[in-house]
Amino acid sequence: MLERLKDLEAQSRKLDPGAGERAPLWEAARQYGEGFLQALPESPAFVLKDRPGAGLAGFPIPEAERPFSQVLEALAEHVDGVGANGASGRHLAFIPPSSLFAGALGDLLAAITNRYAAYFFAGPGAVRMENQVISWLAREVGLPEGSSGNLAAGGSMAHLVGVCTAREAAGLKAADYPRACVYLSDQAHHCIVKALRVAGMDEAPVRSIPTDADFRLRPEALEAAIQEDLRAGLRPWLLVPTAGTTNTGAVDPLEACADLAQRHGLWMHTDGAYGASFALAESGRTALRGLERSDSLVLDPHKGLFTPLGLGVVLVRHLDPLRKAHAFRADYLPSPPEDLEELSPSETTLEFSKHARALRLWLPLQLHGAAAFRAALDEKLLLARYAHARLREMPGVDPGPEPQLSVLAFRFLPSAGEADAFNQALLQQLTAEGRIFLSGTRLNGAFYLRMAILAARTHREQVDEALERLQTAAAELA
Ligand SMILES: *Cc1c(COP(=O)(O)O)cnc(C)c1O
């Protein structure tokens, strides 16, 4: 047995390289990361390939070790060399991600030290850090002192926590679901209905409320829908306005929504996954008026606060239902968390073995200060207005709605042929080129190009280049 243990130990010790063996690994990883960052100003925003990344299959998980250089080559080719570049300032599609360098350092340090962030007893500092970030964000969006929440892996997960909390607050049981009405606009993100389904609430009637010419939920239509449901003996339960839609960045009338929610006893859970971060910016606060009246809301730091992908926050005004919906006790756990001075994140989400996710936001905030984030967000808002002004001046362009936040939806109006086909061909052409990455959508049935300005590395230069490339490509195509 001892011989066998000795043998196994010799093998398993390979998993834990010593300082001398780590040194070249650090250096190679640093070079890889630094090379990637230095190439960013010129590297493509999108790489279109046949069967992208399929070469990874030729690089299977080995039994024996492989040299790091080979592994990094495979990473560069099959993963970092295909599809969308999530660090590029010319990523203007969907809602662009960023990946701040300090955020990546936060992840690296969190993984090395591996502090546990779900239970106060084991990870008191990591738990305090998560709570500090939550309190700070709650204050920034105008929620009252004592609000709480959870740092989830993304907006969709954060919405699931919000939906379960709202269900708890209303005391809904399965038999109530077919009567528990949900209201959102026809522009709402699909992840709300997905969260309802995953929460087992597929039977809850979902009312898609029509929007106005600016794609904002129409309060009078909402009121009418609530009244109709009340007359039918149903139970209006949850209102999910959007603070910044994915399509056009439209902000629903949050004050009017909050008034209606209050009057009819609905829980207002605001989807600010994309837009709520703009509450940090002076010019964003006006557009978001009423956000602070939400019972709960979702804000994605991996969008509007530029962290690496994997951070969506749910903020909740009322701790009680949040905790009731998620807290559990078990014999193998230390003293009940309610005895402790800090709320444990395991009490406010499904996750249990949770890493120090806060570090990816806390570290950039500490290193750069909040003011730099406010400025960056003001910059993106102003860039959107600048781009819209330039689109308005372009002949043969329908500049689309005035941006409410930082998303533009516009289209070229060709002198001959169908506009939809022309703009789709234009988008395909630009994606194949890969220099700028845009996406498309449909507004009132017509195909529009979308330019979303949110990546940390998107500045005036990138917007100008995108507009020029669009004009040139449109002229070539015409
Ligand atoms: C991105 C987004 C979501 C979903 O969040 P994920 O972080 O992608 O899970 C929900 N709503 C809106 C408005 C979004 O932009």
Side-chain angles (χ1 to χ4, degrees):
M1 193 190 276
L2 292 181
E3 269 312 298
R4 178 77 179 132
L5 270 177
K6 204 170 144 199
D7 177 42
L8 290 172
E9 178 175 331
Q11 293 183 59
S12 71
R13 274 187 179 276
K14 287 185 192 163
L15 296 176
D16 185 23
E21 294 157 290
R22 284 196 300 269
L25 297 177
W26 274 119
E27 183 48 26
R30 193 196 64 79
Q31 275 182 25
Y32 185 88
E34 192 53 34
F36 178 87
L37 290 172
Q38 288 190 16
L40 264 182
E42 290 311 318
S43 52
F46 194 92
V47 176
L48 192 66
K49 271 192 184 158
D50 272 347
R51 305 202 56 236
L56 203 57
F59 203 78
I61 311 289
E63 273 304 315
E65 54 222 274
R66 279 196 212 268
F68 195 23
S69 59
Q70 265 183 29
V71 178
L72 287 175
E73 270 169 38
L75 183 66
E77 186 178 348
H78 306 308
V79 180
D80 296 334
V82 291
N85 185 339
S88 171
R90 284 171 278 103
H91 187 316
L92 302 157
F94 313 115
I95 301 293
S98 294
S99 188
L100 288 182
F101 180 60
L105 285 183
D107 270 7
L108 176 67
L109 295 175
I112 287 180
T113 59
N114 210 25
R115 292 293 152 168
Y116 184 58
Y119 215 80
F120 182 78
F121 172 77
V127 167
R128 283 188 203 276
M129 182 188 284
E130 171 150 345
N131 288 340
Q132 187 182 40
V133 166
I134 288 167
S135 302
W136 180 78
L137 283 171
R139 214 172 307 129
E140 287 294 329
V141 300
L143 287 177
E145 215 50 46
S147 296
S148 75
N150 193 275
L151 301 188
S156 302
M157 292 302 292
H159 276 302
L160 183 61
V161 171
V163 162
C164 294
T165 302
R167 169 172 63 186
E168 189 71 35
L172 297 177
K173 299 292 172 212
D176 307 317
Y177 298 171
R179 293 174 54 241
C181 300
V182 181
Y183 306 86
L184 32 74
S185 92
D186 58 24
Q187 300 289 304
H189 196 279
H190 73 275
C191 76
I192 309 298
V193 172
K194 189 169 171 178
L196 287 164
R197 190 201 295 168
V198 172
M201 301 190 71
D202 231 359
E203 296 148 292
V206 176
R207 310 295 184 216
S208 175
I209 308 298
T211 45
D212 63 16
D214 296 321
F215 303 100
R216 299 183 227 226
L217 180 147
R218 288 176 37 219
E220 64 289 352
L222 172 60
E223 167 93 73
I226 294 173
Q227 293 294 359
E228 195 182 322
D229 286 332
L230 285 171
R231 275 196 301 277
L234 302 178
R235 177 173 176 190
W237 160 52
L238 177 66
L239 169 60
V240 188
T242 307
T245 62
T246 316
N247 252 353
T248 63
V251 181
D252 286 337
L254 301 174
E255 289 279 15
C257 284
D259 288 343
L260 281 171
Q262 206 164 5
R263 187 162 345 127
H264 296 288
L266 280 85
W267 180 282
M268 175 158 130
H269 172 75
T270 306
D271 181 4
Y274 153 62
S277 297
F278 287 111
L280 272 77
E282 208 179 310
S283 54
R285 248 162 261 150
T286 324
L288 296 170
R289 202 174 297 127
L291 180 67
E292 72 288 349
R293 293 177 63 191
S294 307
D295 293 293
S296 55
L297 65 94
V298 164
L299 176 160
D300 267 4
H302 68 195
K303 291 173 177 166
L305 296 176
F306 320 118
T307 74
L309 282 173
L311 183 55
V313 181
V314 59
L315 300 171
V316 184
R317 176 187 292 268
H318 322 276
L319 174 61
D320 198 48
L322 172 65
R323 196 174 200 167
K324 268 201 184 131
H326 298 96
F328 259 87
R329 301 283 165 265
D331 292 341
Y332 43 81
L333 295 174
S335 60
E338 66 257 37
D339 295 346
L340 301 168
E341 59 179 301
E342 286 274 331
L343 178 67
S344 287
S346 64
E347 305 265 284
T348 58
T349 187
L350 185 69
E351 282 187 88
F352 193 64
S353 288
K354 187 177 186 185
H355 71 295
R357 190 173 279 146
L359 205 54
R360 55 183 25 225
L361 178 57
W362 187 86
L363 185 65
L365 285 166
Q366 293 287 349
L367 269 183
H368 303 303
F373 285 81
R374 299 185 204 287
L377 287 160
D378 272 326
E379 179 199 23
K380 309 313 169 202
L381 291 171
L382 196 56
L383 278 173
R385 284 168 49 200
Y386 164 79
H388 194 252
R390 284 202 55 190
L391 284 165
R392 268 200 315 257
E393 286 163 11
M394 286 183 193
V397 170
D398 162 9
E402 185 77 36
Q404 293 171 47
L405 293 173
S406 71
V407 178
L408 300 143
F410 57 96
R411 61 187 181 141
F412 285 80
L413 301 169
S415 47
E418 217 216 336
D420 278 11
F422 185 86
N423 286 283
Q424 276 162 345
L426 188 56
L427 181 60
Q428 250 172 25
Q429 161 76 24
L430 291 170
T431 307
E433 271 174 30
R435 181 72 193 170
I436 61 168
F437 183 35
L438 302 176
S439 55
T441 190
R442 288 198 170 269
L443 302 183
N444 303 318
F447 184 82
Y448 276 73
L449 299 166
R450 275 177 80 265
M451 184 189 293
I453 301 172
L454 195 65
R457 296 182 177 98
T458 303
H459 306 290
R460 185 174 157 203
E461 184 189 337
Q462 286 70 32
V463 171
D464 280 340
E465 184 179 343
L467 292 172
E468 267 131 45
R469 192 57 215 125
L470 268 163
Q471 262 184 308
T472 314
E476 285 162 5
L477 202 64

mmCIF file of all heavy atoms in Angstrom, residues 94-95 153-159 187-192 241-247 250 271-275 298-303 309-313 450, ligand 1:
data_model
loop_
_atom_site.group_PDB
_atom_site.id
_atom_site.type_symbol
_atom_site.label_atom_id
_atom_site.label_comp_id
_atom_site.label_asym_id
_atom_site.label_seq_id
_atom_site.Cartn_x
_atom_site.Cartn_y
_atom_site.Cartn_z
ATOM 1 N N PHE A 94 -24.994 42.890 -31.210
ATOM 2 C CA PHE A 94 -25.752 42.452 -30.025
ATOM 3 C C PHE A 94 -25.595 43.487 -28.907
ATOM 4 O O PHE A 94 -25.769 44.671 -29.127
ATOM 5 C CB PHE A 94 -25.305 41.043 -29.590
ATOM 6 C CG PHE A 94 -25.225 40.081 -30.760
ATOM 7 C CD1 PHE A 94 -24.021 39.526 -31.171
ATOM 8 C CD2 PHE A 94 -26.372 39.770 -31.488
ATOM 9 C CE1 PHE A 94 -23.961 38.654 -32.258
ATOM 10 C CE2 PHE A 94 -26.317 38.901 -32.576
ATOM 11 C CZ PHE A 94 -25.104 38.352 -32.957
ATOM 12 N N ILE A 95 -25.229 43.014 -27.692
ATOM 13 C CA ILE A 95 -24.758 43.943 -26.659
ATOM 14 C C ILE A 95 -23.298 43.577 -26.452
ATOM 15 O O ILE A 95 -22.991 42.485 -25.960
ATOM 16 C CB ILE A 95 -25.553 43.791 -25.337
ATOM 17 C CG1 ILE A 95 -27.056 44.039 -25.554
ATOM 18 C CG2 ILE A 95 -24.987 44.735 -24.280
ATOM 19 C CD1 ILE A 95 -27.453 45.445 -25.933
ATOM 20 N N ALA A 153 -23.994 34.551 -12.537
ATOM 21 C CA ALA A 153 -23.089 34.338 -13.670
ATOM 22 C C ALA A 153 -23.462 35.191 -14.874
ATOM 23 O O ALA A 153 -22.674 35.346 -15.800
ATOM 24 C CB ALA A 153 -23.082 32.864 -14.054
ATOM 25 N N GLY A 154 -24.677 35.741 -14.872
ATOM 26 C CA GLY A 154 -25.098 36.589 -15.985
ATOM 27 C C GLY A 154 -26.502 37.078 -15.746
ATOM 28 O O GLY A 154 -27.131 36.732 -14.730
ATOM 29 N N GLY A 155 -27.006 37.854 -16.683
ATOM 30 C CA GLY A 155 -28.326 38.444 -16.527
ATOM 31 C C GLY A 155 -29.434 37.403 -16.467
ATOM 32 O O GLY A 155 -30.366 37.531 -15.669
ATOM 33 N N SER A 156 -29.333 36.381 -17.287
ATOM 34 C CA SER A 156 -30.399 35.377 -17.307
ATOM 35 C C SER A 156 -30.508 34.672 -15.953
ATOM 36 O O SER A 156 -31.611 34.450 -15.446
ATOM 37 C CB SER A 156 -30.135 34.340 -18.402
ATOM 38 O OG SER A 156 -30.033 34.973 -19.664
ATOM 39 N N MET A 157 -29.361 34.328 -15.377
ATOM 40 C CA MET A 157 -29.367 33.694 -14.059
ATOM 41 C C MET A 157 -29.890 34.663 -13.009
ATOM 42 O O MET A 157 -30.646 34.284 -12.103
ATOM 43 C CB MET A 157 -27.951 33.235 -13.677
ATOM 44 C CG MET A 157 -27.396 32.097 -14.492
ATOM 45 S SD MET A 157 -28.405 30.622 -14.454
ATOM 46 C CE MET A 157 -28.208 30.123 -12.753
ATOM 47 N N ALA A 158 -29.507 35.917 -13.122
ATOM 48 C CA ALA A 158 -29.955 36.930 -12.165
ATOM 49 C C ALA A 158 -31.474 37.102 -12.259
ATOM 50 O O ALA A 158 -32.159 37.293 -11.249
ATOM 51 C CB ALA A 158 -29.230 38.249 -12.431
ATOM 52 N N HIS A 159 -32.006 37.005 -13.491
ATOM 53 C CA HIS A 159 -33.462 37.116 -13.659
ATOM 54 C C HIS A 159 -34.184 35.951 -12.986
ATOM 55 O O HIS A 159 -35.275 36.119 -12.443
ATOM 56 C CB HIS A 159 -33.823 37.155 -15.144
ATOM 57 C CG HIS A 159 -33.706 38.529 -15.734
ATOM 58 N ND1 HIS A 159 -34.414 39.607 -15.233
ATOM 59 C CD2 HIS A 159 -32.984 39.011 -16.771
ATOM 60 C CE1 HIS A 159 -34.123 40.685 -15.950
ATOM 61 N NE2 HIS A 159 -33.247 40.360 -16.877
ATOM 62 N N GLN A 187 -40.980 44.177 -26.663
ATOM 63 C CA GLN A 187 -39.548 44.278 -26.933
ATOM 64 C C GLN A 187 -38.708 43.571 -25.865
ATOM 65 O O GLN A 187 -37.479 43.632 -25.901
ATOM 66 C CB GLN A 187 -39.119 45.761 -26.972
ATOM 67 C CG GLN A 187 -39.819 46.577 -28.040
ATOM 68 C CD GLN A 187 -39.336 46.202 -29.432
ATOM 69 O OE1 GLN A 187 -38.149 46.256 -29.734
ATOM 70 N NE2 GLN A 187 -40.262 45.795 -30.286
ATOM 71 N N ALA A 188 -39.357 42.933 -24.902
ATOM 72 C CA ALA A 188 -38.624 42.349 -23.769
ATOM 73 C C ALA A 188 -37.686 41.232 -24.219
ATOM 74 O O ALA A 188 -37.930 40.564 -25.225
ATOM 75 C CB ALA A 188 -39.610 41.822 -22.729
ATOM 76 N N HIS A 189 -36.637 41.029 -23.476
ATOM 77 C CA HIS A 189 -35.656 39.973 -23.759
ATOM 78 C C HIS A 189 -36.282 38.601 -23.493
ATOM 79 O O HIS A 189 -37.032 38.437 -22.532
ATOM 80 C CB HIS A 189 -34.429 40.179 -22.867
ATOM 81 C CG HIS A 189 -33.210 39.426 -23.312
ATOM 82 N ND1 HIS A 189 -33.020 38.097 -23.025
ATOM 83 C CD2 HIS A 189 -32.135 39.816 -24.030
ATOM 84 C CE1 HIS A 189 -31.866 37.702 -23.535
ATOM 85 N NE2 HIS A 189 -31.304 38.725 -24.152
ATOM 86 N N HIS A 190 -35.913 37.624 -24.312
ATOM 87 C CA HIS A 190 -36.527 36.294 -24.184
ATOM 88 C C HIS A 190 -36.199 35.619 -22.860
ATOM 89 O O HIS A 190 -36.889 34.696 -22.439
ATOM 90 C CB HIS A 190 -36.075 35.400 -25.347
ATOM 91 C CG HIS A 190 -34.647 34.946 -25.223
ATOM 92 N ND1 HIS A 190 -33.583 35.692 -25.648
ATOM 93 C CD2 HIS A 190 -34.131 33.829 -24.660
ATOM 94 C CE1 HIS A 190 -32.462 35.037 -25.378
ATOM 95 N NE2 HIS A 190 -32.762 33.916 -24.781
ATOM 96 N N CYS A 191 -35.136 36.065 -22.178
ATOM 97 C CA CYS A 191 -34.703 35.342 -20.977
ATOM 98 C C CYS A 191 -35.696 35.479 -19.819
ATOM 99 O O CYS A 191 -35.629 34.700 -18.869
ATOM 100 C CB CYS A 191 -33.302 35.770 -20.551
ATOM 101 S SG CYS A 191 -33.235 37.351 -19.758
ATOM 102 N N ILE A 192 -36.623 36.443 -19.902
ATOM 103 C CA ILE A 192 -37.624 36.576 -18.826
ATOM 104 C C ILE A 192 -38.587 35.383 -18.900
ATOM 105 O O ILE A 192 -38.838 34.707 -17.894
ATOM 106 C CB ILE A 192 -38.434 37.888 -18.963
ATOM 107 C CG1 ILE A 192 -37.509 39.100 -19.129
ATOM 108 C CG2 ILE A 192 -39.388 38.052 -17.791
ATOM 109 C CD1 ILE A 192 -36.595 39.363 -17.987
ATOM 110 N N PRO A 241 -40.601 45.723 -16.683
ATOM 111 C CA PRO A 241 -40.228 46.718 -17.690
ATOM 112 C C PRO A 241 -38.756 46.552 -18.055
ATOM 113 O O PRO A 241 -37.985 45.975 -17.293
ATOM 114 C CB PRO A 241 -40.472 48.052 -16.971
ATOM 115 C CG PRO A 241 -40.408 47.749 -15.515
ATOM 116 C CD PRO A 241 -40.712 46.283 -15.330
ATOM 117 N N THR A 242 -38.402 47.047 -19.217
ATOM 118 C CA THR A 242 -37.008 46.968 -19.648
ATOM 119 C C THR A 242 -36.369 48.353 -19.600
ATOM 120 O O THR A 242 -36.924 49.314 -20.138
ATOM 121 C CB THR A 242 -36.914 46.412 -21.085
ATOM 122 O OG1 THR A 242 -37.629 45.182 -21.144
ATOM 123 C CG2 THR A 242 -35.483 46.165 -21.484
ATOM 124 N N ALA A 243 -35.228 48.431 -18.955
ATOM 125 C CA ALA A 243 -34.450 49.673 -18.933
ATOM 126 C C ALA A 243 -33.322 49.498 -19.945
ATOM 127 O O ALA A 243 -32.196 49.164 -19.584
ATOM 128 C CB ALA A 243 -33.917 49.943 -17.532
ATOM 129 N N GLY A 244 -33.643 49.688 -21.212
ATOM 130 C CA GLY A 244 -32.662 49.491 -22.272
ATOM 131 C C GLY A 244 -32.894 48.166 -22.978
ATOM 132 O O GLY A 244 -32.341 47.144 -22.580
ATOM 133 N N THR A 245 -33.720 48.178 -24.026
ATOM 134 C CA THR A 245 -33.983 46.927 -24.740
ATOM 135 C C THR A 245 -32.785 46.548 -25.603
ATOM 136 O O THR A 245 -31.986 47.397 -25.999
ATOM 137 C CB THR A 245 -35.211 47.055 -25.661
ATOM 138 O OG1 THR A 245 -34.944 48.056 -26.655
ATOM 139 C CG2 THR A 245 -36.459 47.429 -24.886
ATOM 140 N N THR A 246 -32.710 45.264 -25.885
ATOM 141 C CA THR A 246 -31.627 44.758 -26.715
ATOM 142 C C THR A 246 -31.753 45.300 -28.149
ATOM 143 O O THR A 246 -30.761 45.667 -28.768
ATOM 144 C CB THR A 246 -31.677 43.222 -26.736
ATOM 145 O OG1 THR A 246 -31.915 42.778 -25.396
ATOM 146 C CG2 THR A 246 -30.389 42.629 -27.233
ATOM 147 N N ASN A 247 -32.976 45.351 -28.635
ATOM 148 C CA ASN A 247 -33.208 45.805 -30.002
ATOM 149 C C ASN A 247 -32.731 47.217 -30.280
ATOM 150 O O ASN A 247 -31.944 47.451 -31.193
ATOM 151 C CB ASN A 247 -34.713 45.756 -30.282
ATOM 152 C CG ASN A 247 -35.056 44.627 -31.224
ATOM 153 O OD1 ASN A 247 -34.171 43.970 -31.769
ATOM 154 N ND2 ASN A 247 -36.328 44.410 -31.413
ATOM 155 N N ALA A 250 -34.293 50.959 -25.998
ATOM 156 C CA ALA A 250 -35.421 51.749 -25.496
ATOM 157 C C ALA A 250 -35.619 51.517 -24.000
ATOM 158 O O ALA A 250 -35.444 50.402 -23.506
ATOM 159 C CB ALA A 250 -36.695 51.365 -26.242
ATOM 160 N N ASP A 271 -35.712 44.882 -16.044
ATOM 161 C CA ASP A 271 -34.604 44.302 -16.794
ATOM 162 C C ASP A 271 -33.666 45.416 -17.257
ATOM 163 O O ASP A 271 -33.866 46.030 -18.298
ATOM 164 C CB ASP A 271 -35.122 43.512 -17.993
ATOM 165 C CG ASP A 271 -33.973 42.868 -18.772
ATOM 166 O OD1 ASP A 271 -32.815 42.983 -18.327
ATOM 167 O OD2 ASP A 271 -34.242 42.243 -19.816
ATOM 168 N N GLY A 272 -32.645 45.647 -16.441
ATOM 169 C CA GLY A 272 -31.628 46.629 -16.800
ATOM 170 C C GLY A 272 -30.321 45.931 -17.128
ATOM 171 O O GLY A 272 -29.244 46.503 -16.929
ATOM 172 N N ALA A 273 -30.403 44.701 -17.635
ATOM 173 C CA ALA A 273 -29.183 43.925 -17.913
ATOM 174 C C ALA A 273 -28.234 44.754 -18.768
ATOM 175 O O ALA A 273 -27.055 44.909 -18.453
ATOM 176 C CB ALA A 273 -29.531 42.613 -18.610
ATOM 177 N N TYR A 274 -28.789 45.332 -19.818
ATOM 178 C CA TYR A 274 -27.960 46.197 -20.662
ATOM 179 C C TYR A 274 -27.902 47.627 -20.114
ATOM 180 O O TYR A 274 -26.821 48.212 -20.007
ATOM 181 C CB TYR A 274 -28.515 46.200 -22.096
ATOM 182 C CG TYR A 274 -28.208 47.457 -22.875
ATOM 183 C CD1 TYR A 274 -26.885 47.822 -23.148
ATOM 184 C CD2 TYR A 274 -29.230 48.290 -23.322
ATOM 185 C CE1 TYR A 274 -26.605 48.991 -23.844
ATOM 186 C CE2 TYR A 274 -28.948 49.452 -24.017
ATOM 187 C CZ TYR A 274 -27.636 49.808 -24.269
ATOM 188 O OH TYR A 274 -27.362 50.966 -24.938
ATOM 189 N N GLY A 275 -29.058 48.196 -19.758
ATOM 190 C CA GLY A 275 -29.110 49.641 -19.564
ATOM 191 C C GLY A 275 -28.866 50.189 -18.170
ATOM 192 O O GLY A 275 -28.485 51.358 -18.029
ATOM 193 N N VAL A 298 -32.212 43.796 -12.603
ATOM 194 C CA VAL A 298 -31.003 43.097 -13.046
ATOM 195 C C VAL A 298 -30.105 44.071 -13.789
ATOM 196 O O VAL A 298 -30.585 44.895 -14.583
ATOM 197 C CB VAL A 298 -31.357 41.888 -13.932
ATOM 198 C CG1 VAL A 298 -30.154 41.393 -14.715
ATOM 199 C CG2 VAL A 298 -31.912 40.756 -13.068
ATOM 200 N N LEU A 299 -28.824 44.000 -13.491
ATOM 201 C CA LEU A 299 -27.807 44.841 -14.135
ATOM 202 C C LEU A 299 -26.634 43.928 -14.460
ATOM 203 O O LEU A 299 -26.198 43.161 -13.608
ATOM 204 C CB LEU A 299 -27.414 45.939 -13.135
ATOM 205 C CG LEU A 299 -26.322 46.950 -13.420
ATOM 206 C CD1 LEU A 299 -26.497 48.161 -12.498
ATOM 207 C CD2 LEU A 299 -24.920 46.400 -13.267
ATOM 208 N N ASP A 300 -26.159 43.985 -15.693
ATOM 209 C CA ASP A 300 -25.060 43.104 -16.111
ATOM 210 C C ASP A 300 -23.725 43.846 -16.136
ATOM 211 O O ASP A 300 -23.424 44.542 -17.111
ATOM 212 C CB ASP A 300 -25.314 42.589 -17.539
ATOM 213 C CG ASP A 300 -26.038 41.255 -17.573
ATOM 214 O OD1 ASP A 300 -26.419 40.742 -16.500
ATOM 215 O OD2 ASP A 300 -26.239 40.720 -18.685
ATOM 216 N N PRO A 301 -22.890 43.670 -15.122
ATOM 217 C CA PRO A 301 -21.552 44.278 -15.214
ATOM 218 C C PRO A 301 -20.746 43.740 -16.399
ATOM 219 O O PRO A 301 -19.860 44.433 -16.886
ATOM 220 C CB PRO A 301 -20.901 43.917 -13.885
ATOM 221 C CG PRO A 301 -22.046 43.762 -12.947
ATOM 222 C CD PRO A 301 -23.123 43.124 -13.776
ATOM 223 N N HIS A 302 -21.068 42.533 -16.871
ATOM 224 C CA HIS A 302 -20.296 42.037 -18.031
ATOM 225 C C HIS A 302 -20.741 42.710 -19.334
ATOM 226 O O HIS A 302 -20.209 42.414 -20.393
ATOM 227 C CB HIS A 302 -20.270 40.507 -18.104
ATOM 228 C CG HIS A 302 -21.557 39.818 -18.421
ATOM 229 N ND1 HIS A 302 -21.734 38.476 -18.220
ATOM 230 C CD2 HIS A 302 -22.736 40.243 -18.921
ATOM 231 C CE1 HIS A 302 -22.954 38.111 -18.592
ATOM 232 N NE2 HIS A 302 -23.575 39.174 -19.013
ATOM 233 N N LYS A 303 -21.690 43.607 -19.233
ATOM 234 C CA LYS A 303 -22.004 44.472 -20.365
ATOM 235 C C LYS A 303 -21.563 45.897 -19.994
ATOM 236 O O LYS A 303 -20.515 46.342 -20.394
ATOM 237 C CB LYS A 303 -23.492 44.421 -20.685
ATOM 238 C CG LYS A 303 -23.931 43.079 -21.255
ATOM 239 C CD LYS A 303 -25.441 43.004 -21.408
ATOM 240 C CE LYS A 303 -25.852 41.684 -22.049
ATOM 241 N NZ LYS A 303 -27.294 41.449 -21.916
ATOM 242 N N LEU A 309 -16.923 38.312 -19.383
ATOM 243 C CA LEU A 309 -18.222 37.625 -19.385
ATOM 244 C C LEU A 309 -18.372 36.755 -18.146
ATOM 245 O O LEU A 309 -17.425 36.087 -17.724
ATOM 246 C CB LEU A 309 -18.340 36.744 -20.626
ATOM 247 C CG LEU A 309 -18.686 37.463 -21.934
ATOM 248 C CD1 LEU A 309 -18.614 36.502 -23.098
ATOM 249 C CD2 LEU A 309 -20.050 38.123 -21.854
ATOM 250 N N GLY A 310 -19.580 36.780 -17.593
ATOM 251 C CA GLY A 310 -19.846 35.926 -16.440
ATOM 252 C C GLY A 310 -20.214 36.697 -15.190
ATOM 253 O O GLY A 310 -19.927 36.237 -14.076
ATOM 254 N N LEU A 311 -20.840 37.857 -15.332
ATOM 255 C CA LEU A 311 -21.262 38.606 -14.142
ATOM 256 C C LEU A 311 -22.542 39.395 -14.418
ATOM 257 O O LEU A 311 -22.545 40.391 -15.140
ATOM 258 C CB LEU A 311 -20.150 39.551 -13.668
ATOM 259 C CG LEU A 311 -20.440 40.334 -12.377
ATOM 260 C CD1 LEU A 311 -20.800 39.423 -11.217
ATOM 261 C CD2 LEU A 311 -19.263 41.221 -11.996
ATOM 262 N N GLY A 312 -23.641 38.915 -13.859
ATOM 263 C CA GLY A 312 -24.921 39.616 -13.892
ATOM 264 C C GLY A 312 -25.417 39.754 -12.471
ATOM 265 O O GLY A 312 -25.287 38.824 -11.678
ATOM 266 N N VAL A 313 -25.949 40.910 -12.133
ATOM 267 C CA VAL A 313 -26.309 41.175 -10.741
ATOM 268 C C VAL A 313 -27.817 41.343 -10.621
ATOM 269 O O VAL A 313 -28.438 42.038 -11.425
ATOM 270 C CB VAL A 313 -25.619 42.465 -10.241
ATOM 271 C CG1 VAL A 313 -25.986 42.732 -8.781
ATOM 272 C CG2 VAL A 313 -24.122 42.348 -10.387
ATOM 273 N N ARG A 450 -27.901 47.008 -36.674
ATOM 274 C CA ARG A 450 -27.751 47.499 -35.301
ATOM 275 C C ARG A 450 -26.291 47.820 -35.022
ATOM 276 O O ARG A 450 -25.398 47.041 -35.388
ATOM 277 C CB ARG A 450 -28.179 46.437 -34.289
ATOM 278 C CG ARG A 450 -29.645 46.375 -33.983
ATOM 279 C CD ARG A 450 -29.919 45.237 -33.027
ATOM 280 N NE ARG A 450 -29.613 45.567 -31.636
ATOM 281 C CZ ARG A 450 -28.492 45.316 -31.009
ATOM 282 N NH1 ARG A 450 -27.511 44.710 -31.618
ATOM 283 N NH2 ARG A 450 -28.336 45.651 -29.752
HETATM 284 C C1 LIG B 1 -28.131 40.596 -22.260
HETATM 285 C C2 LIG B 1 -29.504 40.839 -21.829
HETATM 286 C C3 LIG B 1 -30.185 39.899 -21.051
HETATM 287 C C4 LIG B 1 -29.617 38.541 -20.707
HETATM 288 O O1 LIG B 1 -28.496 38.651 -19.907
HETATM 289 P P1 LIG B 1 -27.270 37.616 -20.040
HETATM 290 O O2 LIG B 1 -26.212 38.245 -19.224
HETATM 291 O O3 LIG B 1 -26.934 37.559 -21.498
HETATM 292 O O4 LIG B 1 -27.728 36.317 -19.522
HETATM 293 C C5 LIG B 1 -31.453 40.241 -20.619
HETATM 294 N N1 LIG B 1 -32.016 41.412 -20.947
HETATM 295 C C6 LIG B 1 -31.386 42.327 -21.695
HETATM 296 C C7 LIG B 1 -32.060 43.620 -22.000
HETATM 297 C C8 LIG B 1 -30.106 42.069 -22.166
HETATM 298 O O5 LIG B 1 -29.476 42.983 -22.920
#
